[in-house]
Amino acid sequence: MTMNTQPPEHLLHVMHAHQEEHRFISDQAVNSIAEKLKLPRAQVEAVREFYAFFHSKPRGTYDLLFSNCTSCGSPSLMRQLCELLHVTADKTRSDGAVSIGETSCIGMCDHGASLLVNGRPLHSLDGSRIEAIAKLIEAATPVEQWPAEWFEINNHIHRSDLLLKESFTPGAALHAVEAGGADAALEKIRFSDLRGRGGAGFSTAQKWQFCREAAGDTRYVICNADEGEPGTFKDRVLLTSYADAVFEGMALCGRIIGARQGYIYLRAEYRYLLDRLENRLAERREAGLLGEKILGIEGFDFDIEIVVGAGAYICGEESALIESLEEKPGNPRIRPPFPVTHGYMGKPTVVNNVETLAAAAAIVLHGERWFRGAGTWQSRGTKILSVSGDCARPGIYEYPFGVSINDILKDCGAVQVQAVQVGGPSGRLVDPSHFDHHIAFEDLATGGSLMIFHHSRNLLEVIRNFTCFFTHESCGFCTPCRVGTALLKNGMDKVASGHGTAHDLDELKATAALVSRRSHCGLGMTAPNPIRDGLKYFPELFEARLLHQEMEPEFNLDASLEEARQLTHRDDAEAHL
Amino acid sequence: MSKFIKIDGVEVPFEEGQTIMDAALAADIYIPHLCHRPGLSPHGSCKLCTVDVNGRAVSSCTMPASEGMEIENDTPALKKVRKTITQMLFVEGNHLCPSCEKTGDCTLQAVAYHLDMLDGHFPQFYPRREVDASHSSLVIDRDRCIMCELCVRASREIDGKDVFAISGRGTGRHLIVNSPTGKLGDSDIELDDLAAHICPVGAILIKDHGYEVPIGRRTFDLHSVAETDLEEVILKKSAHHDEGEERDPNEGGVYGV
């Protein structure tokens, strides 16, 4: 027997493997996993309870999770499948065969209504496909034998510019770094004015510089592939077809800051990409582009490991991501200190978006002028947008920064547009009077999501959907976000159900402002955006649903008697208040 | 030479490494807080200590003080914000002050009084939360837990144990116990541990010691939460601080004669 020198497996991976086999993670399993990995039991339990894809009660052999995103979700198709299979949502059928539930956006917004079946994305759903799925489940056909084309995922790139036009030769950027030296590579990135593509737009060169100068002997590079913002799928496309550029971006960052280890934190919804990415990494090791002595250069050591998440939008926040990487629940950390000085394992760490790393590699390869030539003076280069919703051609569009909403709408074939959500629910809800505004850090900043809503859409319902999303995804660490998002959801429910009053709108406004300003991290700070923009630009949508009276109590006495009416089989006038 | 920050226009000295809260407490300035306790690592979760620094909202318990900071603390606007946050904590759990054993000793209640909170304002959530009475001398009533994690930190950092953790997310967040069964009775907590006494509300209570100090003579019946030297007093739960003074054994009284 050989000595096992491998580090213990990542908690998230061990828990995933266990759940694959047993359909859930029991309390007993929590104990045995904790023992096996030598972790406190409470840590394993807390991880199980934190991530949406871990379950403490058995799921069905067929575990279906419908996306509830406004672009790739369909509540009516979920109801249809529930009826066909005689399943109540969120309750595993008594024979243990099937469970159906909802999940946040799975990044299939260019593929129509979608779901995850046992973790695999299945898209282009319609009534007849739902019927076919029901039949396959009732016939106990293994998912592996379902029609392969259901699982085929195309890229849908409709417009390419700097980054997507070029085919990337593996190793090209690394050769370019070594030709000019690491310092020169950092200068190139500095002069390119590359800003982080995750949405916040921090200067990439500055981040790398801070990390490089931070005290410590070990450093890390993390690629944030936890693309959870509803309506965003550009990283999915980059990781599918441009993975080498991303890997090289990580390696050259490692070279510049002096890191030997990189991690890709991949969202669980993209687990289906894992084998392909691992193979690609293996090929790169084989080719001397990863591992020890990269390009044969003494001292250029860098390797990449992939850690797969388990369903938590908050892990897109860099410090929550680091917590998750450290096998803990994804709670955002106190800042300062920032990850550049105290990141993964307390060491200086660069966390960058997938697109940022790909852009960095391209800049080192093609030069800063090539990059600076595109965009605006405050937002250089291009931005890859995930366009979805009510348009003829949803998909990926790469534009130079500065493109207007109107231009994008024209290109993707959107007509009679009521509103556009730029940057996902955490971004801005834009009304037609602002469609001449531009995608740029100084105007409409975006991580990459652009969702289009046609005139026929119930926009109030869209805002309610976004509010529910944040309530579901709040980690609950701080009071304003934990309680505030729940209050906002309840308020939106009240207004949407036709029970709201002008007083409730005032309450929504006040609570939204407090949650925005007093929350601990970006999730809470942006969670009220849909409501705030909605009230500002579409007040008539809210007012149309209001009761015109001073106050309507939250507690509806008559509605609360519904259960009693059902039990007594009475629904006559006397049974109502 | 000392460095200074300004809190509500008053110059307050600080040393490198101190947070705004540290500097304020040292200068006898009260910034309302629930999840903070000197001696434990700062947490920044309750957000009651939110202040405006040069117009930006920050948590004073986690933000390092730095020269030139102009801090707003005791202003009507911030009082309103903190009142709202306190109301949020009240409606999220099930806080029945009149019948709670911790009444008068509860920091949440005291903060509410300090902020002139007269009602919950928001609709109650009425959550269903589990009680754990498995321990011979302690009980966890999660109805009152405010997720401040003081017990988590006290156990880890002071008691050298790891008895508590917070699990779940969003409003589903809840206190769990690090034992094979998840029950407090099977954990290694002891009555002398700080974690058993640090709860600012009535979520972790000592059994068999109810109402030893009558209502009306409890900590916050006699003191304001804004007294910055209260920490010592608050932690001595089992014996009321007024009882710490030596008594004459022959002292008379209704039952003493």
Side-chain angles (χ1 to χ4, degrees):
Chain A
M1 215 172 125
T2 52
M3 274 272 284
N4 182 9
T5 51
Q6 286 285 311
E9 248 200 286
H10 198 278
L11 174 62
L12 292 181
H13 296 180
V14 171
M15 291 177 82
H16 172 78
H18 182 92
Q19 186 164 283
E20 279 267 282
E21 193 178 339
H22 302 278
R23 313 307 310 157
F24 77 119
I25 300 163
S26 65
D27 290 345
Q28 262 176 331
V30 166
N31 284 343
S32 60
I33 290 170
E35 207 169 308
K36 186 177 153 201
L37 297 185
K38 298 187 173 53
L39 292 170
R41 185 199 179 279
Q43 184 176 338
V44 179
E45 182 180 343
V47 164
R48 180 186 68 181
E49 302 299 318
F50 188 86
Y51 296 90
F53 290 171
F54 291 146
H55 305 287
S56 55
K57 295 211 172 71
R59 305 291 286 191
T61 316
Y62 297 90
D63 183 12
L64 296 110
L65 292 169
F66 280 77
S67 166
N68 57 20
C69 161
T70 55
S71 288
C72 65
S74 172
S76 62
L77 291 176
M78 181 174 108
R79 280 196 296 275
Q80 188 193 348
L81 189 62
C82 283
E83 276 165 31
L84 286 170
L85 291 170
H86 308 287
V87 177
T88 311
D90 295 326
K91 276 193 185 142
T92 304
R93 202 166 76 177
S94 55
D95 63 356
V98 55
S99 53
I100 298 174
E102 282 184 31
T103 188
S104 301
C105 178
I106 61 171
M108 288 292 141
C109 308
D110 54 340
H111 284 78
S114 304
L115 59 79
L116 292 171
V117 51
N118 297 349
R120 293 179 61 187
L122 200 162
H123 55 83
S124 309
L125 299 176
D126 57 19
S128 61
R129 188 160 289 183
I130 291 290
E131 280 174 31
I133 290 170
K135 280 190 190 128
L136 287 169
I137 290 174
E138 292 296 21
T141 310
V143 175
E144 293 70 36
Q145 291 170 28
W146 291 15
E149 68 268 21
W150 288 5
F151 298 98
E152 274 168 23
I153 294 158
N154 302 317
N155 268 349
H156 298 149
I157 299 175
H158 296 299
R159 190 186 192 284
S160 43
D161 211 297
L162 296 183
L163 296 180
L164 301 181
K165 219 176 253 173
E166 303 283 334
S167 64
F168 196 89
T169 313
L174 296 182
H175 279 291
V177 173
E178 290 316 317
D183 289 347
L186 180 60
E187 287 313 298
K188 268 191 195 176
I189 291 167
R190 192 187 317 282
F191 288 124
S192 75
D193 269 346
L194 174 65
R195 297 170 67 170
R197 266 38 180 165
F202 192 78
S203 157
T204 302
Q206 208 170 343
K207 188 186 268 189
W208 293 11
Q209 177 96 37
F210 283 153
C211 187
R212 179 189 208 190
E213 287 166 359
D217 47 2
T218 312
R219 281 153 228 279
Y220 296 100
V221 180
I222 295 173
C223 169
N224 182 348
D226 191 61
E227 180 175 55
E229 191 69 43
T232 319
F233 47 88
K234 64 173 178 81
D235 293 351
R236 185 196 88 207
V237 172
L238 284 169
L239 290 169
T240 308
S241 303
Y242 301 83
D244 272 296
V246 181
F247 298 151
E248 294 208 12
M250 293 177 73
L252 73 90
C253 176
R255 184 66 164 156
I256 289 170
I257 66 168
R260 296 160 53 92
Q261 181 65 47
Y263 291 96
I264 297 176
Y265 187 87
L266 185 69
R267 73 183 303 220
E269 290 82 347
Y270 293 170
R271 181 181 290 280
Y272 71 97
L273 294 175
L274 186 59
D275 282 350
R276 213 177 310 170
L277 291 171
E278 293 281 16
N279 287 339
R280 206 59 217 106
L281 290 176
E283 284 166 21
R284 289 180 68 88
R285 282 185 201 107
E286 196 71 24
L289 299 175
L290 214 53
E292 284 177 20
K293 283 195 264 183
I294 290 175
L295 303 177
I297 296 162
E298 198 69 46
F300 188 1
D301 306 333
F302 187 79
D303 213 330
I304 295 173
E305 210 176 298
I306 303 173
V307 172
V308 188
Y313 166 77
I314 185 64
C315 290
E317 197 278 342
E318 59 177 3
S319 67
L321 183 156
I322 291 169
E323 288 281 298
S324 184
L325 214 52
E326 291 180 2
E327 310 186 299
K328 293 179 280 191
N331 293 318
R333 291 178 175 174
I334 292 167
R335 290 177 307 173
F338 291 88
V340 282
T341 57
H342 296 76
Y344 180 60
M345 298 296 178
K347 306 290 183 191
T349 303
V350 161
V351 185
N352 272 142
N353 184 270
V354 173
E355 188 183 342
T356 314
L357 291 162
I363 289 164
V364 169
L365 187 58
H366 301 292
E368 68 274 15
R369 282 172 196 284
W370 166 84
F371 188 77
R372 283 179 65 91
T376 69
W377 73 277
Q378 285 185 63
S379 313
R380 303 287 185 182
T382 59
K383 183 76 193 91
I384 302 175
L385 299 175
S386 321
V387 177
S388 68
D390 303 321
C391 65
R393 291 175 295 281
I396 294 294
Y397 293 76
E398 186 189 12
Y399 288 103
F401 271 110
V403 64
S404 75
I405 302 287
N406 271 326
D407 288 341
I408 301 169
L409 294 178
K410 208 185 298 163
D411 288 352
C412 70
V415 289
Q416 288 192 297
V417 179
Q418 181 181 188
V420 173
Q421 184 77 30
V422 179
S426 74
R428 314 304 316 194
L429 181 62
V430 182
D431 74 304
S433 74
H434 292 84
F435 285 178
D436 54 347
H437 279 244
H438 308 276
I439 300 291
F441 290 109
E442 63 270 30
D443 193 355
L444 288 166
T446 171
S449 161
L450 199 119
M451 301 160 109
I452 300 162
F453 302 105
H454 186 259
H455 259 287
S456 60
R457 284 261 201 153
N458 181 346
L459 198 58
L460 199 68
E461 205 45 52
V462 169
I463 295 169
R464 197 176 74 93
N465 175 300
F466 291 164
T467 309
C468 289
F469 166 77
F470 287 116
T471 312
H472 181 255
E473 296 295 342
S474 166
C475 79
F477 173 79
C478 74
T479 316
C481 178
R482 180 179 70 244
V483 186
T485 54
L487 289 168
L488 291 176
K489 178 191 172 290
N490 294 348
M492 278 306 294
D493 284 348
K494 191 180 176 191
V495 173
S497 67
H499 288 279
T501 64
H503 171 76
D504 291 305
L505 295 192
D506 291 343
E507 283 292 298
L508 275 176
K509 253 181 230 168
T511 307
L514 184 137
V515 174
S516 290
R517 193 156 151 76
R518 305 293 166 180
S519 288
H520 179 75
C521 81
L523 189 150
M525 290 173 191
T526 55
N529 284 356
I531 291 179
R532 300 184 84 183
D533 286 346
L535 286 168
K536 193 166 168 192
Y537 299 118
F538 301 93
E540 67 283 358
L541 294 176
F542 291 79
E543 275 149 23
R545 303 290 296 158
L546 297 188
L547 287 174
H548 290 283
Q549 58 191 49
E550 276 294 293
M551 210 276 291
E552 163 88 355
E554 204 79 18
F555 182 67
N556 184 336
L557 194 54
D558 188 64
S560 71
L561 292 172
E562 187 52 38
E563 193 181 354
R565 281 191 291 267
Q566 279 181 8
L567 289 170
T568 53
H569 302 290
R570 277 187 63 183
D571 201 17
D572 54 291
E574 292 285 303
H576 284 273
L577 291 167
Chain B
M1 254 214 356
S2 277
K3 294 179 175 178
F4 292 90
I5 50 175
K6 257 191 190 170
I7 302 181
D8 294 326
V10 178
E11 290 219 316
V12 174
F14 73 93
E15 282 160 33
E16 209 54 51
Q18 276 190 319
T19 59
I20 297 173
M21 177 73 80
D22 294 335
L25 285 174
D28 246 356
I29 294 173
Y30 175 64
I31 304 175
H33 56 272
L34 282 167
C35 73
H36 182 69
R37 196 58 59 88
L40 296 178
S41 61
H43 202 237
S45 66
C46 76
K47 297 295 162 193
L48 217 60
C49 74
T50 187
V51 290
D52 290 336
V53 178
N54 303 342
R56 249 189 74 225
V58 304
S59 301
S60 46
C61 69
T62 59
M63 179 57 75
S66 77
E67 188 79 56
M69 279 181 163
E70 301 246 358
I71 299 159
E72 281 181 54
N73 169 42
D74 191 12
T75 66
L78 279 168
K79 188 170 181 180
K80 200 171 166 192
V81 167
R82 291 168 184 156
K83 185 166 103 173
T84 305
I85 292 173
T86 309
Q87 285 166 323
M88 284 178 167
L89 286 169
F90 266 92
V91 300
E92 179 199 25
N94 298 309
H95 295 275
L96 307 169
C97 295
S99 63
C100 177
E101 145 63 22
K102 199 69 175 269
T103 243
D105 277 336
C106 168
T107 316
L108 178 69
Q109 184 191 44
V111 161
Y113 278 127
H114 176 78
L115 297 168
D116 298 329
M117 184 187 127
L118 299 177
D119 66 355
H121 183 81
F122 300 110
Q124 289 283 340
F125 288 9
Y126 294 122
R128 281 170 185 256
R129 295 175 175 176
E130 219 175 304
V131 170
D132 179 353
S134 60
H135 195 275
S136 56
S137 37
L138 295 166
V139 60
I140 302 178
D141 185 347
R142 293 186 176 86
D143 272 347
R144 301 156 195 165
C145 177
I146 54 168
M147 321 296 154
C148 68
E149 298 195 34
L150 279 172
C151 58
V152 178
R153 286 173 281 155
S155 181
R156 198 169 294 160
E157 297 169 14
I158 307 293
D159 305 333
K161 301 176 184 180
D162 196 10
V163 174
F164 296 105
I166 292 281
S167 180
R169 77 181 192 203
T171 48
R173 228 171 146 79
H174 59 282
L175 185 64
I176 60 168
V177 174
N178 196 18
S179 71
T181 56
K183 294 287 181 199
L184 193 61
D186 298 317
S187 76
D188 55 355
I189 195 167
E190 284 161 275
L191 199 52
D192 290 339
D193 292 349
L194 179 62
H197 300 270
I198 201 167
C199 185
V201 289
I204 301 173
L205 291 169
I206 315 283
K207 284 183 178 176
D208 305 326
H209 286 270
Y211 298 97
E212 278 175 346
V213 178
I215 293 169
R217 288 189 55 212
R218 297 182 174 192
T219 312
F220 298 113
D221 297 330
L222 305 172
H223 299 272
S224 154
V225 72
E227 293 169 35
T228 49
D229 56 353
L230 262 187
E231 303 299 348
E232 281 290 294
V233 176
I234 294 169
L235 281 182
K236 285 180 194 155
K237 279 301 165 234
S238 40
H240 193 267
H241 72 291
D242 287 349
E243 294 172 306
E245 289 158 31
E246 279 303 308
R247 288 176 62 186
D248 180 354
N250 301 318
E251 188 184 342
V254 179
Y255 305 104
V257 277

